Amino acid sequence: MSIYTNKVKLYTSHHKPSAFLSSPIIKPIHVGKANSFNDICCGGDDSGENISIKNPFYCELTAQYWVWKNDISSEYVGFMHYRRHLNFSDKQDYPEDVWGVVNDEIISEEYETKFGLNEESIVNAIADNDILLPKKWSVRQAGSKNNYEHYKISQHLHIEDYQSAIDSLLYLYPEYAAAVKIFNSAHDGYYTNMFVMKSELFAEYSEWLFSIFDDLESNFSMRNYNGQEKRVIGHISERLFNIFLIHKEKSAGLKKKELQRTFVKTETFNGKLKPAFSHNNIPVVICFDDNYSLSGGALVNSIIKNSSESDNYDIVVLENGVSQRNKSRFLSLIKGRSNFSLRFFDVNAFSEMKSVYTRAHFSAATYARLFIPSIFSEFEKVLFIDADTIVESDVAELVHTEVGDNLIAAVRDIVMEGFVKFGAIAHIDEPANLTAGQYLEQILGMKESQNYFQAGIILFNISQMRKENTFASLMAAMKARRYWFLDQDIMNKVFYDRVHYLPGEWNVYHGNGNTDDFFPNLKFETYMGFLKSRKQPKMIHFAGENKPWDAPHVDFFDNFMSYINATPWQKEVYDRLNKTGFTTQPVVVNQHVLFQTKVKRKIMPYFNRFAPVGSKRRQMIARNYYKIRRVILG
């Protein structure tokens, strides 16, 4: 706790994952939290007495209201934005743009030092002033004659709304008439709703401001406003703030100080999620977009159905465009379950993913697993599970697994074992035409290729990764080159020889329709292990293109349906299955979805005789096949 906490508290308003300032007296607050299912790694404005639901209209004022009603606990209180701050340093002559703003590249230690965003500089800047304000800005810079005209001609603003607010102001506080006239006819003012002021002044201002809006709400309405136009109250408040100050200064006097404003051009994220429960916390991470919500629903339901009352389950969905409707559905699954928490986090917060390599059906969100050691750095362990899976056992059992100083626990990838045995060609640009075995050894540095693990289920040893700064190694590997299986290869490279291998039951392939023509060709020992794991699977992984919600005759279809039934996605799955010819009668194979498999089964016996597995002829054909494929698919 800072020694300055009783002196001043500053709040930065955030509506999405972003970078937080490091000073303990600067508190991030999630504005509009009542309207969001997502966690952005800071507290929200939706507790206690609040107007969080009004955020689309009130903007950052919902934070001001929350502080006014719930947290005036210091001598001074202030507000800034997640990308706009006050310059508390002694140097106040940095070059400004036409909007009166000092632009800087990114929030960093250097940025905070440069602009005095630390306790000592902030307290020194306050001194004995009543209020700190952003430097006045002239609307003439935007081509307007005065403040009234500026509102009138501004895009997305409607002058009749501002006039309605003035009517409410003068109805409640007629003594402010002169201040209204002075501000409207002036060409400059204090914009952006940023300030630091004495707490008693802040309380007085808040009482005044929100009483005006209470009256305004009963006297005006929005007329099919778009998202930008709906921010009307926030815009009006910037003008009312100036009117309040003009009147206050004339009637009682104010000791004030003006500071430059800054703007951060590049958005980044540095937040950390915290465990949902203080004890027996079982963290489970899933990642998917809206297309995989129904699969994620089956997975979450399977976790619930196999849970125990003695543990607390902390489920975090790293989401990429999951709809509000589906988020609400997920939360309905845990309704009434006190030992379950379910949160969402937007993977687009990871700016590093904007430039990652993708191919085929892989999206940038695939790389989200690499960020688990960073965003979950305050946890001890974290269990990641692919969205196209279901569990048939209590996941707490896996989280409680002792892994020593290994970085992860995972299951060996028997499909990669087959690729190595059959001389499959790695799908990478440079160096081209490497076999799977050569790729694992030369690119991933894996001398023992059988130790390649499958990333469908991973137990991350976060505490050990924190000690070794493993996240930095993952980022370095991600940026170094392109990989065949993207983030799975990156993790195999970084975690090599630091893996606790789990029994095959924890990652059982459903077979993707080729259970009987690929797996029997693996080493006999591997094949027997595969068959054994399928007898009592603890997790079933529907890897490949043939999913149970589209292909009703794949292995473990009934297991999947047992967890989709009675969920909000049940009808959606049945509708999809009906389109593929789903029937309750026994059918040998679904003709449409498994067509590729049927063709392969017809061709492969002849191809195997012509080019046996492991032969030079087969490798040469494979190399040429991938050359042609790269030309066609890019």
Side-chain angles (χ1 to χ4, degrees):
M1 179 70 67
S2 169
I3 61 173
Y4 297 111
T5 302
N6 292 331
K7 176 71 175 180
V8 58
K9 277 188 183 179
L10 303 186
Y11 295 84
T12 50
S13 298
H14 302 255
H15 66 279
K16 62 181 180 179
S18 43
F20 303 139
L21 298 170
S22 62
S23 171
I25 64 171
I26 301 177
K27 308 291 184 181
I29 185 168
H30 184 174
V31 293
K33 181 66 175 69
N35 302 318
S36 174
F37 291 113
N38 282 36
D39 191 327
I40 65 170
C41 302
C42 65
D45 61 356
D46 60 334
S47 63
E49 188 174 347
N50 69 85
I51 56 169
S52 180
I53 196 172
K54 296 182 180 181
N55 180 258
F57 321 99
Y58 276 64
C59 307
E60 63 274 357
L61 294 184
T62 58
Q64 180 179 329
Y65 187 94
W66 184 88
V67 173
W68 173 44
K69 291 296 186 179
N70 301 283
D71 193 28
I72 300 181
S73 57
S74 55
E75 185 181 346
Y76 285 82
V77 65
F79 296 87
M80 300 186 292
H81 304 171
Y82 75 106
R83 295 174 72 184
R84 294 177 174 86
H85 308 116
L86 293 171
N87 171 17
F88 293 98
S89 75
D90 292 332
K91 182 175 171 57
Q92 292 291 319
D93 58 354
Y94 288 107
E96 300 172 359
D97 63 14
V98 68
W99 306 107
V101 170
V102 180
N103 289 281
D104 211 278
E105 193 59 40
I106 195 169
I107 289 180
S108 63
E109 185 178 343
E110 291 73 23
Y111 171 84
E112 294 185 17
T113 300
K114 179 178 179 180
F115 296 113
L117 291 161
N118 55 71
E119 300 97 300
E120 186 175 357
S121 296
I122 293 169
V123 170
N124 287 340
I126 291 173
D128 60 347
N129 291 290
D130 297 315
I131 186 169
L132 303 185
L133 296 160
K135 283 177 60 177
K136 274 191 174 181
W137 176 73
S138 173
V139 297
R140 291 173 180 170
Q141 294 285 84
S144 300
K145 181 174 64 175
N146 55 46
N147 289 314
Y148 188 86
E149 182 189 75
H150 184 60
Y151 194 104
K152 185 176 182 178
I153 67 174
S154 291
Q155 189 178 15
H156 307 305
L157 300 182
H158 304 279
I159 192 62
E160 55 267 33
D161 296 335
Y162 177 57
Q163 190 58 57
S164 293
I166 295 301
D167 292 343
S168 291
L169 163 61
L170 295 179
Y171 169 72
L172 295 172
Y173 305 99
E175 67 272 21
Y176 276 75
V180 169
K181 185 174 181 180
I182 291 171
F183 173 73
N184 284 346
S185 59
H187 66 85
D188 57 7
Y190 301 114
Y191 284 90
T192 66
N193 280 333
M194 297 200 304
F195 57 79
V196 181
M197 64 172 76
K198 284 185 174 179
S199 292
E200 57 268 26
L201 180 62
F202 169 70
E204 179 186 350
Y205 168 58
S206 297
E207 176 69 42
W208 177 86
L209 179 69
F210 291 108
S211 66
I212 295 169
F213 288 142
D214 284 344
D215 187 78
L216 175 64
E217 286 186 19
S218 64
N219 292 308
F220 99 113
S221 59
M222 289 174 284
R223 299 165 295 282
N224 295 317
Y225 283 0
N226 61 31
Q228 286 295 324
E229 291 172 311
K230 287 179 179 178
R231 297 165 62 88
V232 52
I233 302 296
H235 286 291
I236 290 173
S237 70
E238 292 183 90
R239 281 74 183 178
L240 296 185
F241 178 59
N242 283 272
I243 293 170
F244 174 81
L245 292 178
I246 291 170
H247 178 79
K248 190 70 179 176
E249 192 164 15
K250 286 189 173 294
S251 61
L254 284 177
K255 189 170 184 181
K256 60 185 182 180
K257 180 178 182 179
E258 295 184 8
L259 303 173
Q260 287 187 304
R261 289 174 292 148
T262 68
F263 177 76
V264 179
K265 293 188 290 183
T266 304
E267 294 186 56
T268 54
F269 170 73
N270 62 6
K272 310 293 179 187
L273 286 169
K274 298 182 183 299
F277 300 96
S278 60
H279 65 284
N280 295 343
N281 196 65
I282 305 298
V284 181
V285 180
I286 314 167
C287 181
F288 53 84
D289 60 17
D290 212 39
N291 295 321
Y292 271 75
S293 287
L294 62 86
S295 174
L299 171 55
V300 171
N301 199 31
S302 73
I303 293 171
I304 294 170
K305 298 298 184 185
N306 291 288
S307 65
S308 66
E309 294 183 359
S310 60
D311 285 301
N312 297 312
Y313 298 82
D314 183 2
I315 302 174
V316 179
V317 177
L318 302 180
E319 60 97 4
N320 183 28
V322 174
S323 67
Q324 293 289 91
R325 181 188 187 192
N326 275 324
K327 288 177 182 177
S328 179
R329 286 173 162 183
F330 276 102
L331 290 173
S332 73
L333 295 178
I334 65 167
K335 187 176 182 180
R337 299 179 182 273
S338 60
N339 66 329
F340 271 84
S341 167
L342 194 151
R343 298 176 279 172
F344 297 90
F345 182 85
D346 187 354
V347 298
N348 296 296
F350 307 128
S351 56
E352 295 90 341
M353 293 203 303
K354 294 177 181 178
S355 58
V356 295
Y357 167 67
T358 60
R359 65 175 181 83
H361 63 282
F362 297 106
S363 69
T366 301
Y367 291 88
R369 288 178 286 202
L370 301 181
F371 295 85
I372 288 176
S374 175
I375 189 173
F376 292 92
S377 64
E378 297 189 14
F379 291 66
E380 293 303 303
K381 294 177 184 174
V382 168
L383 177 62
F384 174 86
I385 308 178
D386 260 353
D388 57 349
T389 66
I390 54 173
V391 298
E392 294 283 8
S393 188
D394 187 355
V395 294
E397 174 190 344
L398 192 49
V399 173
H400 292 315
T401 299
E402 290 296 330
V403 298
D405 63 355
N406 286 306
L407 297 175
I408 65 163
V411 176
R412 285 185 170 87
D413 191 343
I414 60 176
V415 172
M416 181 58 77
E417 178 185 312
F419 289 163
V420 172
K421 178 180 179 180
F422 307 143
I425 301 300
H427 190 109
I428 56 173
D429 295 333
E430 293 295 336
N433 301 324
L434 289 180
T435 65
Q438 292 169 334
Y439 172 79
L440 295 185
E441 183 173 357
Q442 296 178 29
I443 305 302
L444 302 189
M446 301 184 69
K447 295 180 180 179
E448 304 292 335
S449 61
Q450 71 274 15
N451 287 337
Y452 186 93
F453 64 84
Q454 212 282 334
I457 189 166
I458 305 175
L459 179 64
F460 286 81
N461 186 355
I462 301 296
S463 59
Q464 188 65 33
M465 292 182 178
R466 195 165 53 238
K467 294 175 185 176
E468 301 182 22
N469 193 19
T470 306
F471 177 65
S473 299
L474 289 168
M475 292 296 99
M478 182 182 75
K479 296 171 183 176
R481 60 163 298 120
R482 296 179 174 184
Y483 297 89
W484 186 9
F485 288 104
L486 309 186
D487 69 316
Q488 180 170 275
D489 286 358
I490 293 170
M491 288 187 286
N492 269 279
K493 179 182 178 68
V494 174
F495 301 150
Y496 179 63
D497 210 27
R498 301 289 301 281
V499 181
H500 173 84
Y501 291 99
L502 299 168
E505 296 94 307
W506 278 112
N507 196 344
V508 175
Y509 290 111
H510 79 307
N512 197 37
N514 55 10
T515 307
D516 298 322
D517 60 14
F518 176 83
F519 298 99
N521 295 300
L522 302 175
K523 288 188 300 186
F524 186 74
E525 179 184 40
T526 301
Y527 182 46
M528 288 298 101
F530 171 67
L531 294 179
K532 179 183 177 183
S533 68
R534 290 162 66 86
K535 292 294 184 181
Q536 289 186 312
K538 293 187 175 182
M539 187 195 88
I540 300 168
H541 191 179
F542 298 102
E545 69 273 13
N546 296 325
K547 309 293 189 185
W549 52 90
D550 286 321
H553 306 291
V554 295
D555 298 345
F556 301 111
F557 169 79
D558 290 338
N559 299 66
F560 174 80
M561 292 304 296
S562 71
Y563 293 116
I564 205 67
N565 286 334
T567 72
W569 297 274
Q570 177 179 320
K571 182 180 183 301
E572 183 178 337
V573 170
Y574 274 89
D575 287 345
R576 292 173 69 109
L577 291 169
N578 286 333
K579 291 179 182 178
T580 65
F582 173 59
T583 174
T584 56
Q585 300 300 316
V587 179
V588 175
V589 68
N590 181 283
Q591 301 295 321
H592 175 69
V593 176
L594 301 182
F595 176 73
Q596 288 178 303
T597 302
K598 289 186 66 183
V599 171
K600 284 165 61 178
R601 285 174 176 167
K602 291 287 186 182
I603 294 175
M604 289 309 293
Y606 303 100
F607 182 69
N608 287 338
R609 286 198 292 270
F610 175 73
V613 172
S615 67
K616 291 185 178 179
R617 176 179 290 178
R618 191 183 187 98
Q619 291 186 14
M620 181 183 69
I621 293 173
R623 288 191 180 97
N624 289 326
Y625 165 76
Y626 278 103
K627 283 182 180 178
I628 295 169
R629 177 174 169 164
R630 275 195 288 269
V631 171
I632 295 173
L633 299 180

